[in-house]
Amino acid sequence: DWISVKDRLPRKNQRVIVCRTLYNGESVVDIATYTGKDNSVGGIYWWYLDDGFDTELVTHWQPIVLPKKLNGFKL
């Protein structure tokens, strides 16, 4: 289930699945790391995508949950 960033944020430096809104209004799903809130620039929440770029357009997130078994192998 998706968690709104208005309701709750992940732990600092936690890597999660995010839904973010692009400037054209389109929504995309990415993997990102939440790095905290920067109060010096108006309370912006900082997220870094796996490609190294930052974004503050995240609207929802969910933890990454790996399966207990994958193709018969216990993880």
Side-chain angles (χ1 to χ4, degrees), residues 29-47:
V29 174
D30 277 309
I31 304 277
T33 301
Y34 174 67
T35 59
K37 182 177 179 180
D38 188 343
N39 290 320
S40 67
V41 286
I44 293 175
Y45 297 103
W46 289 108
W47 301 82

Side-chain angles (χ1 to χ4, degrees), residues 2-72:
W2 290 102
I3 302 165
S4 172
V5 296
K6 294 178 183 177
D7 295 335
R8 193 175 80 197
L9 291 165
R11 292 184 321 272
K12 191 172 181 179
N13 298 319
Q14 181 179 2
R15 193 167 171 243
V16 295
I17 302 169
V18 297
C19 181
R20 60 189 183 99
T21 304
L22 302 179
Y23 291 107
N24 65 3
E26 182 181 345
S27 293
V28 295
V29 174
D30 277 309
I31 304 277
T33 301
Y34 174 67
T35 59
K37 182 177 179 180
D38 188 343
N39 290 320
S40 67
V41 286
I44 293 175
Y45 297 103
W46 289 108
W47 301 82
Y48 282 89
L49 302 173
D50 272 9
D51 62 9
F53 290 98
D54 65 314
T55 183
E56 67 272 354
L57 303 175
V58 173
T59 60
H60 293 78
W61 66 277
Q62 61 180 298
I64 297 173
V65 180
L66 298 176
K68 293 180 182 176
K69 288 186 176 183
L70 184 62
N71 295 330

